[in-house]
Amino acid sequence: MRDHRSRLPHGRSLTARAATATGGLAAVLLLGALLAACTSLETEEAPSAGPQGGAGAGGASPSAQPAAEKTSPRWTSEIIDTTAGADYLGDVEKAVVLEVNRVRTDPAAYAAIYLEPLRKYYHGNLLQYPGEIAIETTEGVRALDECIRALGAAPGIAPLAPRRGLCLAARDHARDQARSGRTGHTGTDGSTVPDRLNRYGTWSLAAGENIDYGNGTARRIVISFLVDDGVPSRGHRKNLLDASFSLMGVAVGPHPKYGKMCVMDFAGAYR
């Protein structure tokens, strides 16, 4: 959860956005009750027999032939893997970039392959995967269904490419909150999203930030932003699917209250 009511320390997420055409700045913080209606295996495969990260969960014998992974022709490594040379990213952070690019390049396929199989794990407002503790959501399966419809109607857009400066800005905030235990977009030094981005370069056109708490895998993080349970504006999803962004930074690290956190920073241009 991620609002001030925090029922469970799962999938708490925040989003901030700034945009400028003439040097002015407008920022909005969207604080809602986002639950992680998402997958949880460390693998990032397509779903077959279970809900976790798309890699069938249990039930198959060791000798069983795995089902062929579903995919999209738009998800070739040449298209979605923009991390070449990004030695400043860890393995999970690279996986986050690829996962975001799967959504952006083929939203409808992402919904069909990774989101639709999650419906059967909702029971009223509870989301429960096999072998896991039930998670209380705000909207129940309605949020998932709305997300599936929205992605089904969304056009494919260009993938995002990582930039070192954006990753350093995201890492600064993740490390700050790892020490302080705080949440939100303001640093302990009072820094805002634009402040942190401008430490390592200059952003222009548009900028934004998503923060997720409690999820440690790329697919879990991304699906929690997409479903955006309890957030009427669906601000996290809008950031992921915003064609005005072309660059991103990502930092995944520990959080003393929620276990794990991920900071994503976005920019239209950065130099």
Side-chain angles (χ1 to χ4, degrees), residues 148-246:
I148 291 169
R149 290 192 300 271
L151 294 188
I157 57 177
L160 297 177
R163 284 294 182 270
R164 181 186 295 271
L166 297 177
C167 290
L168 292 175
R171 193 166 297 160
D172 281 354
H173 198 49
R175 288 176 174 172
D176 183 30
Q177 295 196 343
R179 293 187 296 266
S180 69
R182 293 185 181 181
T183 61
H185 298 281
T186 304
T188 56
D189 60 354
S191 62
T192 63
V193 177
D195 291 336
R196 292 188 293 273
L197 299 187
N198 287 335
R199 287 173 185 166
Y200 304 102
T202 302
W203 68 271
S204 59
L205 303 179
E209 181 172 85
N210 281 1
I211 308 177
D212 178 81
Y213 300 92
N215 297 307
T217 67
R219 189 150 298 147
R220 179 182 288 270
I221 291 164
V222 169
I223 294 181
S224 71
F225 286 141
L226 290 172
V227 175
D228 231 357
D229 179 75
V231 182
S233 69
R234 308 301 193 213
H236 308 94
R237 183 195 306 161
K238 289 178 180 178
N239 275 352
L240 292 186
L241 298 176
D242 194 330
S244 68
F245 295 143
S246 60

Side-chain angles (χ1 to χ4, degrees), residues 12 37 58 61 75 86 90 112 116 129 132 142 159 200 240 253 264-265 269:
R12 176 182 172 121
S61 66
W75 294 346
E116 289 183 7
Y129 302 114
E132 295 191 18
R142 295 192 308 275
Y200 304 102
L240 292 186
M264 289 184 193
D265 286 334

Side-chain angles (χ1 to χ4, degrees), residues 1 6 8-10 12 183 213-215 255-260:
M1 297 250 318
S6 295
L8 291 173
H10 268 283
R12 176 182 172 121
T183 61
Y213 300 92
N215 297 307
H255 190 274
K257 180 176 181 180
Y258 294 103
K260 297 176 181 179

